[in-house]
Amino acid sequence: MEFINVSQKIFHKGIIHSSSSCESDLFKADNILSEKGHWCTKKRSAAIKEYSIIDYEKEVPVDYIKITASSGGSSTFPNGFRLEGSNDGESWTLLYTENNTSLEENIHEVRLPLTILRFLKILITDPAVLGSNYYSEIGKIETGIYGTAEISASSFIGLNTPEKLFSSDSGSYWESSQNTDSVMESINIDLGMIFGINRILLGSVSEGFPESFHIETSVDNEIWITLLHEKNIDAENGKKYFWETDIRQARFLRFEAPGKKLINGKYGLKISQLLISAAPVNHHHTHT
């Protein structure tokens, strides 16, 4: 079983494998991987399909694709396109199709079921039309994991907010408020879309790791089902602990744990990470 962290944002680097055309070397397809410039297909007197293929040089997980328009904005952005994925560059699966593009702030964002791919093809099926010219312009394309859409906690202290649970900075952590008695603390997470959750990872710091916790999941934020219920945890400092589960379809996750007695005599929680992993979609059918 594959365990893909879907709670942290990440974008993959790639190279251009091939493309159908460009108006000139200043507007080649390589520009879709750059912060500057854009790809402009050859200007033609009739509409034809154009494409560009990105090679990430290894298989990578993807649930989010961001396509930016050129300085021409929506006027030169493709009216229709589709996205295809492949692991070998020969057999392709259809990921997304757009037949009537509508841009918001010159950006087109696509959320996909969690997918493993090496190659990404953008196939322009309906180019822009300006005067008698048929062509399209595309700025940067970013591919990767969207990360958590929203997170909140019952309490936190100072800069140790719940967002620190997804930080890659060493030494960062979420810290609940401190109380004279043990109270139940909670963390609520919205992944933004439904995933097949299959593993939860928690990280400890110097103190405050929960002795027990309860995790529930939901697809609609209304009906909740228990995913994990752990008791009598005696965690070591600075360690990571994970729990594998059966694949659970869920978008929302709720973590609850009572405050633990700290060195200063008060009760609270400190957790360095709460990472959520999911299984990718298995594409049984491919299209060539």
Side-chain angles (χ1 to χ4, degrees):
M1 185 182 295
E2 293 183 84
F3 304 98
I4 299 170
N5 178 11
V6 294
S7 49
Q8 290 177 303
K9 186 180 292 292
I10 184 174
F11 289 110
H12 307 301
K13 294 182 179 180
I15 60 175
I16 295 299
H17 174 270
S18 60
S19 62
S20 56
S21 75
C22 63
E23 179 63 13
S24 72
D25 287 342
L26 289 176
F27 304 112
K28 56 186 179 180
D30 299 71
N31 290 340
I32 64 176
L33 303 177
S34 172
E35 295 290 346
K36 299 180 180 180
H38 62 268
W39 172 39
C40 178
T41 64
K42 187 175 180 61
K43 296 179 179 179
R44 305 179 188 275
S45 58
I48 70 167
K49 292 179 179 178
E50 304 274 7
Y51 72 88
S52 181
I53 298 175
I54 302 172
D55 180 3
Y56 296 101
E57 302 184 283
K58 63 179 181 179
E59 293 184 354
V60 296
V62 173
D63 69 15
Y64 174 67
I65 299 173
K66 177 181 176 182
I67 308 174
T68 305
S70 73
S71 58
S74 59
S75 65
T76 58
F77 197 81
N79 294 315
F81 66 92
R82 72 172 182 247
L83 300 173
E84 303 177 3
S86 174
N87 292 326
D88 58 12
E90 296 182 4
S91 300
W92 298 85
T93 185
L94 301 183
L95 301 174
Y96 176 82
T97 300
E98 180 61 61
N99 293 319
N100 189 16
T101 308
S102 176
L103 294 184
E104 293 186 9
E105 299 181 352
N106 290 333
I107 292 174
H108 194 90
E109 296 181 296
V110 178
R111 295 298 307 268
L112 303 169
L114 184 60
T115 301
I116 301 293
L117 57 82
R118 172 174 170 174
F119 299 92
L120 175 70
K121 178 195 292 183
I122 178 166
L123 179 67
I124 299 171
T125 56
D126 185 8
V129 184
L130 275 77
S132 60
N133 291 320
Y134 293 80
Y135 68 98
S136 296
E137 294 180 347
I138 295 175
K140 187 175 183 180
I141 296 180
E142 295 179 287
T143 305
I145 299 295
Y146 184 84
T148 301
E150 185 176 353
I151 180 171
S152 62
S154 53
S155 67
F156 63 89
I157 295 178
L159 298 177
N160 298 323
T161 63
E163 287 80 8
K164 294 297 179 70
L165 292 167
F166 306 130
S167 173
S168 57
D169 297 334
S170 62
S172 66
Y173 57 89
W174 163 68
E175 181 178 10
S176 74
S177 61
Q178 297 185 8
N179 304 281
T180 55
D181 297 306
S182 178
V183 301
M184 190 66 70
E185 300 285 353
S186 64
I187 300 167
N188 292 280
I189 297 170
D190 177 4
L191 294 172
M193 60 184 292
I194 295 174
F195 290 93
I197 294 174
N198 59 5
R199 185 170 71 174
I200 303 294
L201 181 146
L202 295 172
S204 68
V205 289
S206 58
E207 61 172 341
F209 193 85
E211 293 178 340
S212 63
F213 69 83
H214 182 81
I215 294 179
E216 296 177 308
T217 62
S218 174
V219 296
D220 57 9
N221 207 23
E222 294 184 3
I223 300 175
W224 293 84
I225 304 173
T226 296
L227 178 69
L228 290 171
H229 187 72
E230 294 292 324
K231 296 181 178 180
N232 304 316
I233 304 170
D234 184 15
E236 294 184 78
N237 296 338
K239 302 295 184 181
K240 297 178 182 179
Y241 299 91
F242 66 87
W243 289 263
E244 295 182 11
T245 70
D246 292 335
I247 295 177
R248 169 72 61 81
Q249 298 298 312
R251 170 177 171 174
F252 301 92
L253 182 143
R254 181 162 60 206
F255 169 94
E256 294 181 326
K260 183 179 180 180
K261 191 170 185 179
L262 307 174
I263 295 174
N264 63 10
K266 293 185 177 182
Y267 292 82
L269 296 177
K270 296 180 183 180
I271 302 176
S272 64
Q273 288 183 311
L274 197 170
L275 303 184
I276 304 164
S277 294
V281 171
N282 185 5
H283 294 285
H284 295 287
H285 301 285
T286 58
H287 304 265
T288 58

